[in-house]
């Protein structure tokens, strides 16, 4: 059996029962003791709760019960100190001879030990500083799929605790509450806390990571491109100052979603000029994955073996899927090699007409596939990029990310443009060593023009909204 002894830390009667229990445990092979002390200030409430839970009637310290290890169910109440003394005398012929003075001395020592243990536990808790992750427009389906990926430990590691903050408008409060309850029910060991927020002023407090999921759906029959860009600008105009004010100085911002991911990243940097540009990126991994899957179907192989497909340009707009550096691993063909032996993809697809006709024309359907995803694909994309950002991308592997350009690959400076990068030591760097042909260079020029036009429209909106502060906007 296990005897559970609980009482006020400074209770002399608990001290007397505890000493006798220790003696029994030391001398009886099948007698085990589990001791719980409570601070005097918390004892009454704790006693009330434990009695209510078990249907017991008990009002004093200590309270003692037996737990039958092989029977299950609730414990068997023994009672207080006198009940335990009588139990020990009846079953074991042992009683306590402790004097009142000794009881008081041990009670005082128990209280001091309890206070020290509580202090130590609080200090340990204070050392646990979970990663603070904020997700905007958190009612989106991608968020529902993303939370288990973040909380599983696969993204940040099995020793990193996280706190997730879900932000959305008040009309989605019930949805957020439902997500919070379900995440709590799943009891992820690394999920320190999860909470919902509908007050914009509370946004991004102590944020380490911000995942921006807000989407502005472009429907030419309903509104113009200019109106959509204005809406994106207004969203970023609200977020950026709060990121500067509330988030940590090294906060990392990820722009994801189905629309205007490049523009959202651009406008957050525009409105939040103290936010480090290298810490704001747009995710293109969903388009990479969709293209790899399409190629794998053509080659009748696992999509995981298709690597180094590059997404250039405007991720959720006009982009270019570049296969010139793509490789195949584990492809079943006439040439055999080890698992890590790569084969150039273009050499393995003998039907070059398929590349220039079906694959190129199918890129619009890729966009449709990504945009109509229920959340699994974009959630995996965000999780993958975060894992790379914190723990490095695989050596030599290309990752497509929208970043603020500095003239790489002759793309004009100052736009957010998707290009090949690698992640290392918590940073990313553009893989400028990759060679691109003249055709690709011409395509990049056209893609850059579209993004420059988008930026001009956005800056025009800023100047119209802030005519006296227009000179402060970046070029």
């Amino acid at each position: 059996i296990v005897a559970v002894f609980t009482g006020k830390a400074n209770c002399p009667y608990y001290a007397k029962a505890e000493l006798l229990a220790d003696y029994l445990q030391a001398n009886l092979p099948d007698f085990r003791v589990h001791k719980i002390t409570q601070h005097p200030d918390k004892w009454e409430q704790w006693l009330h709760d434990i009695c209510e839970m078990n249907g017991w009637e008990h009002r004093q310290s200590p309270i003692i019960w037996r737990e039958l290890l092989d029977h299950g169910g609730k414990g068997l109440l023994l009672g207080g100190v006198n009940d335990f003394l009588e139990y020990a005398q009846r079953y074991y012929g042992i009683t306590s001879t402790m004097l009142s003075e000794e009881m008081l001395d041990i009670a005082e020592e128990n209280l001091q030990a309890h206070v020290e243990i509580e202090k130590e536990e609080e200090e340990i808790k204070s050392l646990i500083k979970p990663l603070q992750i904020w997700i905007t427009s958190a009612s989106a389906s991608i968020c529902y799929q993303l939370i288990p990926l973040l909380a599983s430990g696969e993204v940040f590691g099995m020793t990193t605790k996280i706190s997730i903050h879900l932000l959305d408008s008040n009309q989605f409060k019930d949805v957020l509450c439902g997500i919070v309850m379900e995440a709590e029910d799943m009891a992820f060991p690394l999920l320190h806390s999860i909470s919902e927020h509908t007050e914009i002023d509370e946004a991004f407090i102590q944020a380490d990571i911000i995942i921006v999921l807000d989407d502005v759906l472009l429907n030419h029959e309903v509104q113009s491109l200019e109106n959509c860009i204005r809406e994106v600008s207004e969203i970023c105009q609200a977020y950026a100052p709060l990121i500067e004010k509330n988030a940590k100085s090294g906060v990392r911002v990820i722009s994801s979603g189905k629309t205007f991911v490049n523009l959202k990243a651009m406008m957050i940097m525009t409105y939040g000029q103290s936010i480090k540009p290298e810490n704001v990126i747009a995710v293109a991994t969903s388009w990479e994955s969709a293209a790899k899957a399409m190629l794998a179907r053509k080659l009748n192989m696992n999509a995981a073996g298709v690597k180094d497909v590059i997404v250039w340009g405007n991720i959720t707009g006009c982009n270019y899927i570049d296969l010139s550096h793509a490789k195949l691993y584990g492809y079943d063909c006439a040439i055999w090699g080890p698992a890590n032996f790569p084969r150039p993809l273009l050499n393995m697809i003998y039907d070059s007409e398929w590349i220039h006709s079906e694959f190129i024309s199918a890129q619009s359907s890729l966009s449709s596939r990504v945009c109509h995803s229920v959340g699994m694909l974009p959630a995996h994309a965000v999780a993958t990029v975060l894992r790379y950002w914190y723990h490095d991308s695989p050596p030599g592997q290309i990752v497509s990310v929208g970043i603020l350009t500095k003239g790489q690959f002759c793309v004009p400076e100052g736009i957010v443009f998707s290009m090949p990068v690698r992640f290392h030591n918590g940073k990313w760097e553009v893989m400028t060593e990759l060679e691109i042909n003249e055709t690709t260079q011409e395509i990049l020029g056209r893609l850059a023009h579209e993004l420059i036009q988008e930026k001009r429209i956005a800056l025009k909106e800023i100047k119209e909204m802030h005519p006296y502060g227009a000179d402060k906007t970046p070029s």
Side-chain angles (χ1 to χ4, degrees):
I1 66 167
V2 172
V4 182
F5 288 74
T6 66
K8 287 191 292 186
N10 64 343
C11 173
Y13 299 105
Y14 171 81
K16 186 171 185 174
E18 174 194 31
L19 196 66
L20 178 57
D22 288 342
Y23 178 83
L24 293 175
Q25 179 172 252
N27 291 278
L28 298 173
D30 297 324
F31 190 90
R32 294 290 178 266
V33 177
H34 178 58
K35 294 181 280 188
I36 304 171
T37 57
Q38 293 292 331
H39 193 279
D41 296 342
K42 300 177 182 177
W43 167 254
E44 294 295 336
Q45 184 61 49
W46 187 89
L47 179 62
H48 174 271
D49 293 343
I50 198 73
C51 287
E52 188 174 273
M53 182 175 67
N54 289 282
W56 295 335
E57 287 288 338
H58 194 83
R59 295 289 178 267
Q60 295 177 332
S61 174
I63 178 173
I64 304 162
W65 68 87
R66 291 174 57 195
E67 288 189 350
L68 307 178
L69 296 181
D70 56 348
H71 285 70
K74 68 179 184 179
L76 176 64
L77 179 65
L78 294 179
V81 65
N82 291 333
D83 300 295
F84 177 63
L85 293 175
E86 183 181 337
Y87 172 85
Q89 177 67 45
R90 183 190 309 158
Y91 286 94
Y92 307 115
I94 299 172
T95 190
S96 173
T97 58
M98 181 184 289
L99 301 175
S100 298
E101 189 174 335
E102 292 178 284
M103 291 165 55
L104 291 170
D105 289 342
I106 293 176
E108 186 177 343
E109 291 174 7
N110 281 346
L111 179 59
Q112 290 175 353
H114 180 85
V115 170
E116 288 174 6
I117 290 170
E118 277 193 335
K119 184 179 178 182
E120 189 175 311
E121 288 176 349
E122 287 299 319
E123 287 176 353
I124 291 172
K125 286 181 182 178
S126 69
L127 293 174
I128 300 173
K129 295 182 178 178
L131 213 57
Q132 303 292 326
I133 303 171
W134 284 78
I135 304 175
T136 72
S137 196
S139 63
S141 58
I142 173 179
C143 180
Y144 190 81
Q145 306 284 347
L146 180 60
I147 289 171
L149 298 177
L150 298 177
S152 67
E154 295 180 11
V155 175
F156 303 107
M158 299 305 296
T159 59
T160 302
K161 288 190 175 289
I162 64 171
S163 288
I164 297 177
H165 306 267
L166 308 178
L167 178 68
D168 213 320
S169 59
N170 194 59
Q171 71 183 97
F172 295 107
K173 184 175 179 62
D174 289 345
V175 176
L176 300 186
C177 289
I179 295 173
V180 168
M181 290 176 64
E182 196 163 347
E184 289 174 341
D185 289 346
M186 292 181 75
F188 295 105
L190 297 175
L191 184 58
H192 183 265
S193 65
I194 181 168
S195 56
E196 79 280 351
H197 303 265
T198 55
E199 296 294 332
I200 189 67
D201 293 341
E202 298 176 359
F204 315 129
I205 292 174
Q206 290 298 299
D208 293 291
I209 298 165
I210 298 170
I211 303 168
V212 181
L213 301 181
D214 301 73
D215 273 321
V216 177
L217 300 179
L218 176 58
N219 185 336
H220 291 291
E221 295 178 4
V222 177
Q223 57 181 333
S224 64
L225 174 64
E226 288 78 7
N227 286 338
C228 288
I229 290 176
R230 179 184 291 113
E231 197 172 330
V232 173
S233 292
E234 289 173 355
I235 292 168
C236 297
Q237 185 186 18
Y239 288 164
L242 289 168
I243 295 173
E244 291 182 297
K245 177 185 174 184
N246 295 336
K248 293 177 183 174
S249 59
V251 63
R252 299 178 183 187
V253 182
I254 287 184
S255 174
S256 183
K258 300 176 181 179
T259 59
F260 297 105
V261 294
N262 293 55
L263 183 62
K264 285 187 292 187
M266 180 76 245
M267 299 314 294
I268 284 171
M269 286 184 267
T270 300
Y271 284 115
Q273 295 189 32
S274 68
I275 300 170
K276 298 174 182 176
E278 64 271 20
N279 283 0
V280 183
I281 63 174
V283 175
T285 317
S286 295
W287 277 260
E288 275 186 17
S289 299
K292 290 174 182 176
M294 184 178 178
L295 293 162
R297 284 190 290 272
K298 173 68 176 176
L299 293 162
N300 194 28
M301 65 176 292
N302 191 318
V306 184
K307 306 289 185 184
D308 299 342
V309 172
I310 303 174
V311 178
W312 295 95
N314 191 352
I315 298 165
T316 48
C318 290
N319 57 46
Y320 171 53
I321 309 295
D322 182 1
L323 306 182
S324 61
H325 298 277
K327 302 179 186 67
L328 302 179
Y329 292 83
Y331 180 54
D332 187 12
C333 66
I335 303 172
W336 286 79
N340 61 349
F341 177 67
R343 299 171 177 82
L345 180 142
L346 292 178
N347 291 355
M348 297 296 106
I349 297 183
Y350 301 105
D351 186 0
S352 59
E353 184 62 30
W354 180 85
I355 292 289
H356 296 294
S357 59
E358 288 188 45
F359 181 77
I360 298 298
S361 63
Q363 290 190 27
S364 60
S365 69
L366 288 181
S367 179
S368 176
R369 288 173 65 88
V370 173
C371 289
H372 287 89
S373 165
V374 294
M376 194 182 301
L377 177 60
H380 179 263
V382 171
T384 299
V385 169
L386 275 172
R387 184 172 72 250
Y388 291 167
W389 210 346
Y390 276 82
H391 298 291
D392 299 353
S393 51
Q397 187 168 314
I398 296 171
V399 185
S400 302
V401 169
I403 53 98
L404 186 66
T405 55
K406 294 184 178 179
Q408 304 97 328
F409 299 107
C410 298
V411 175
E413 293 187 34
I415 55 175
V416 172
F417 194 93
S418 180
M419 56 179 59
V421 306
R422 66 170 67 86
F423 288 90
H424 185 62
N425 288 337
K427 299 179 180 179
W428 53 262
E429 59 180 352
V430 178
M431 301 176 73
T432 52
E433 72 275 14
L434 295 180
E435 295 182 4
I436 59 174
N437 56 37
E438 290 183 9
T439 302
T440 300
Q441 191 67 68
E442 289 176 10
I443 294 171
L444 299 192
R446 293 198 297 272
L447 297 176
H449 178 72
E450 182 199 52
L451 283 165
I452 290 169
Q453 290 299 108
E454 199 174 79
K455 179 182 175 182
R456 282 176 179 164
I457 295 171
L459 293 180
K460 178 184 176 185
E461 298 297 334
I462 293 174
K463 290 176 181 178
E464 288 177 356
M465 288 187 288
H466 306 281
Y468 301 105
D471 57 322
K472 295 181 181 180
T473 59
S475 59

